[in-house]
Amino acid sequence: MNAPLAGYNFAYLDEATKRMLRRTILKAVAVPGHQIPFGAREMPLPYGWGTGGIQVTAAILGPADTLKVIDQGADDTTNAISIRRFFTRVAGVATTERTEEATIIQTRHRIPEAALREDQILVYQVPQPEPLSKLEPRRAETKRLHALADYGLMHVRLYEDIARLGHIAKAYDYPVMVNGRYLMSPSPIPAFDNPKMHRMAALQLFGAGREKRIYAIPPYTEVRSLDFEDHPFRPIRAPQACALCGSRESYLDEVITDDRGGRVFVCSDTDYCGTRVAAQKGVA
Amino acid sequence: MLTPGFADPVLHAQAAFRAVLDAMSRPGRVQLAGPGLAPPAPLMRASAAVLLSLADAATPVWHDAGADADAWLRFHAGAPVATTPRDAAFVLATGAPPTLAALDAGTEEEPERGATLLIQVEAIEEGTGLRLTGPGIEHEHRLLVRGLPDGFVAAWAANRALFPRGVDVILCAWDRLAALPRTVAIAEG
Ligand SMILES: [Zn+2]
């Protein structure tokens, strides 16, 4: 552990703010999938840089933790590097790019390919926590709909897709039901990742900075992607194998390789891909 | 003279919170909390650690722990004292607790306002006793509780039926704690 930067409280936030966030997180765990408003603090990073996730991470983080931060599956993007550097400076915690070494993983837009364990916590950065926001913009009304578990609007929206297109046209942020009670946004992860949320061994916490809301999924909790009997949910993946490690199971990004339209598919999870490539080299 | 609170208010509060978070995420699993604390009787270390890490000026606390504990909690946590259990965000019972139905269970729109009830008991042990199922539990957790209030399991079923409203419980035994979030189903062993 490095010495944290002088002049900051551990993990940047003051203790009163941490207590408020911690109380919110505990109630979020007690009511799985329910969005709870909190008094967000100004963070030294702009909205869109994961301030909600950063506040959740800052509230739970301790000196014994090892932090991993991913953005679209990659550890080496500007956003992920900035957040890792921030917590190194203000908390002195160890960081890692290895999923298996991390105790806290803060993520934007992906769930790691490796199955997470009971001793890990996954923190999602959430831009829009309300799954009904595009269908019902009034917060007072969406609160009422959640209270009544009245999710007819969303079923109608998805069924309209099926009627028009023959399938549900939602590849990201595909809504889920948590513990059979609350409709929840999984954040803009690919629908491919949705099944990983179901009965995950790790605790999942969600922080929305601009909208100032926190929600959670406890370990081993039912998470079902919304679907219909005649149109069951199917996670979508490009049919190719990864050009680097050959995986046919992982979620792939399409990468343009030259200015003549050349393109390849590679794993979006850089640690998963790199670990497989290293293992293959070791065998060769 | 008051005994001290957390020797390191920042890191010890974090450790106590993570113990509660683990407990609330995995109902019936026993965690350690407040190992360095020496709160005045009848306060136990675990319940003292929970309140020091989570209660403050924003959270009215109701308790039955007497004057010494009251002075200690006011000084170290700074939480206002609730006049009735129903007005409290945190309720600490060192003796027979108020009934679950007497506490704030929140509203359908804001179930997060449901109170947290700390019950001090004689002992908690994993492996036998109550059978717990629900979110946070892969198959079944078992928790033996010595000193559980009479009628608790029946009262709990009524509390659970209120979901998403409800009260969340933290059982404290000396420096050990286990949580019962409102989602957990409890059957006698
Ligand atoms: Zn790959």
Side-chain angles (χ1 to χ4, degrees):
Chain A
M1 178 177 149
N2 306 309
L5 197 68
Y8 288 100
N9 191 22
F10 178 83
Y12 186 80
L13 298 172
D14 63 88
E15 291 303 296
T17 300
K18 285 186 198 165
R19 279 192 298 273
M20 175 269 294
L21 288 166
R22 288 166 178 170
R23 292 192 296 262
T24 306
I25 290 167
L26 291 172
K27 289 302 174 189
V29 171
V31 189
H34 168 61
Q35 305 161 51
I36 306 182
F38 69 97
R41 290 297 182 271
E42 290 304 315
M43 298 300 287
L45 290 164
Y47 291 130
W49 281 68
T51 54
I54 291 169
Q55 287 175 92
V56 169
T57 298
I60 65 176
L61 190 72
D65 281 309
T66 301
L67 178 68
K68 172 181 164 87
V69 182
I70 49 173
D71 181 6
Q72 312 263 14
D75 298 84
D76 57 358
T77 66
T78 312
N79 188 316
I81 292 169
S82 300
I83 295 171
R84 254 196 331 268
R85 195 172 287 155
F86 173 74
F87 281 110
T88 306
R89 268 175 45 219
V90 302
V93 293
T95 60
T96 184
E97 298 191 0
R98 302 296 309 276
T99 299
E100 63 177 37
E101 290 173 2
T103 57
I104 297 174
I105 302 169
Q106 183 174 324
T107 181
R108 174 175 176 270
H109 296 191
R110 276 309 311 279
I111 297 175
E113 302 292 355
L116 299 185
R117 302 182 310 258
E118 289 196 357
D119 61 343
Q120 297 178 308
I121 299 175
L122 185 58
V123 178
Y124 296 75
Q125 302 171 201
V126 181
Q128 173 52 264
E130 178 49 70
L132 299 168
S133 66
K134 288 205 178 103
L135 306 170
E136 174 51 71
R138 292 167 297 178
R139 174 64 177 146
E141 187 61 14
T142 56
K143 277 180 76 171
R144 198 181 68 84
L145 293 173
H146 284 294
L148 297 169
D150 179 352
Y151 299 129
L153 276 176
M154 183 59 83
H155 283 101
V156 168
R157 149 81 177 77
L158 297 180
Y159 209 82
E160 280 171 359
D161 273 7
I162 293 171
R164 278 191 306 125
L165 310 164
H167 65 275
I168 293 170
K170 238 176 142 35
Y172 293 88
D173 205 359
Y174 191 109
V176 296
M177 286 296 290
V178 177
N179 195 30
R181 175 56 179 80
Y182 280 99
L183 183 72
M184 193 197 89
S185 160
S187 84
I189 59 172
F192 172 86
D193 280 343
N194 276 20
K196 297 175 187 165
M197 307 179 100
H198 176 61
R199 295 186 62 81
M200 183 187 282
L203 170 65
Q204 302 174 75
L205 301 175
F206 299 78
R210 194 183 52 234
E211 301 292 329
K212 301 176 176 55
R213 271 173 255 165
I214 286 173
Y215 51 101
I217 305 174
Y220 305 114
T221 297
E222 298 276 319
V223 179
R224 298 287 182 197
S225 300
L226 232 53
D227 64 359
F228 300 92
E229 261 181 37
D230 47 343
H231 286 273
F233 172 80
R234 279 198 198 90
I236 308 149
R237 177 188 182 277
Q240 287 81 355
C242 170
L244 299 175
C245 76
S247 175
R248 292 189 171 275
E249 279 90 54
S250 68
Y251 190 75
L252 301 176
D253 285 337
E254 194 176 3
V255 179
I256 311 278
T257 53
D258 56 44
D259 54 10
R260 296 186 304 281
R263 56 192 59 199
V264 294
F265 287 87
V266 297
C267 296
S268 123
D269 183 334
T270 50
D271 174 54
Y272 169 85
C273 193
T275 303
R276 283 172 53 86
V277 168
Q280 289 158 8
K281 281 185 182 148
V283 170
Chain B
M1 209 184 96
L2 291 175
T3 57
F6 288 130
D8 186 326
V10 174
L11 298 186
H12 292 177
Q14 188 272 340
F17 162 71
R18 279 289 279 275
V20 179
L21 180 62
D22 281 348
M24 202 59 86
S25 302
R26 301 172 198 284
R29 289 262 180 91
V30 173
Q31 306 291 333
L32 295 177
L37 287 175
L43 269 183
M44 292 176 175
R45 286 185 295 209
S47 40
V50 173
L51 291 175
L52 286 200
S53 64
L54 294 172
D56 60 22
T59 58
V61 173
W62 185 93
H63 69 83
D64 62 0
D68 288 353
D70 194 69
W72 194 86
L73 287 171
R74 278 177 196 258
F75 182 79
H76 291 301
V81 171
T83 39
T84 71
R86 189 174 292 280
D87 300 320
F90 292 97
V91 174
L92 166 65
T94 63
T99 58
L100 292 173
L103 307 186
D104 188 353
T107 65
E108 296 286 341
E109 290 195 358
E110 296 179 346
E112 65 271 23
R113 284 163 48 190
T116 304
L117 168 63
L118 285 69
I119 305 176
Q120 292 194 173
V121 296
E122 292 158 36
I124 48 178
E125 291 288 343
E126 292 180 9
T128 61
L130 301 174
R131 297 177 179 276
L132 311 182
T133 52
I137 300 171
E138 186 175 14
H139 302 296
E140 177 184 84
H141 286 173
R142 301 202 63 179
L143 185 70
L144 184 67
V145 186
R146 294 197 195 286
L148 194 66
D150 290 341
F152 181 83
V153 172
W156 183 262
N159 179 61
R160 184 167 174 270
L162 298 175
F163 191 86
R165 299 171 62 233
V167 171
D168 308 303
V169 165
I170 302 174
L171 300 169
C172 299
W174 310 104
D175 60 353
R176 295 156 66 81
L177 61 83
L180 303 171
R182 64 192 78 176
T183 46
V184 74
I186 305 179
E188 311 247 22

